[in-house]
Amino acid sequence: MATPTFYTVKEVADMLKYTTDHIHRLVREGELPHYRMGKAVRITPDQLNEWLESKRVYTKAQITRFADTRAIAK
């Protein structure tokens, strides 16, 4: 079994150009998925990517393309 990679709150904050306080708030409010080991908070790359994807905003063109594709599939 491969050892999972974990990011610290500081590493996530640095990657996203957020403050550590902001990341802690997202964790505290249950917004950002994470693991807690005692007081330590750890976030896997998959958790971070999934959370980021949930925040994605699509352009009107992308929405139209998706709707057209779905209409054809039916």
Side-chain angles (χ1 to χ4, degrees), residues 31 49-56:
E31 174 84 18
N49 290 333
E50 185 177 318
W51 179 77
L52 286 171
E53 191 60 32
S54 76
K55 300 301 175 194
R56 182 176 181 173

Side-chain angles (χ1 to χ4, degrees), residues 9-74:
V9 167
K10 181 171 179 0
E11 289 171 328
V12 171
D14 289 345
M15 282 187 274
L16 299 178
K17 308 281 191 264
Y18 284 174
T19 64
T20 55
D21 286 344
H22 187 77
I23 301 300
H24 278 293
R25 183 181 61 76
L26 293 172
V27 165
R28 184 175 58 250
E29 293 176 356
E31 174 84 18
L32 181 60
H34 62 283
Y35 291 98
R36 185 176 294 277
M37 291 153 268
K39 290 185 178 183
V41 172
R42 297 294 182 263
I43 302 159
T44 65
D46 287 344
Q47 288 172 318
L48 182 58
N49 290 333
E50 185 177 318
W51 179 77
L52 286 171
E53 191 60 32
S54 76
K55 300 301 175 194
R56 182 176 181 173
V57 177
Y58 292 92
T59 64
K60 289 180 182 179
Q62 289 172 317
I63 293 168
T64 301
R65 233 184 344 259
F66 178 73
D68 290 345
T69 305
R70 296 284 293 170
I72 293 170
K74 288 184 177 183

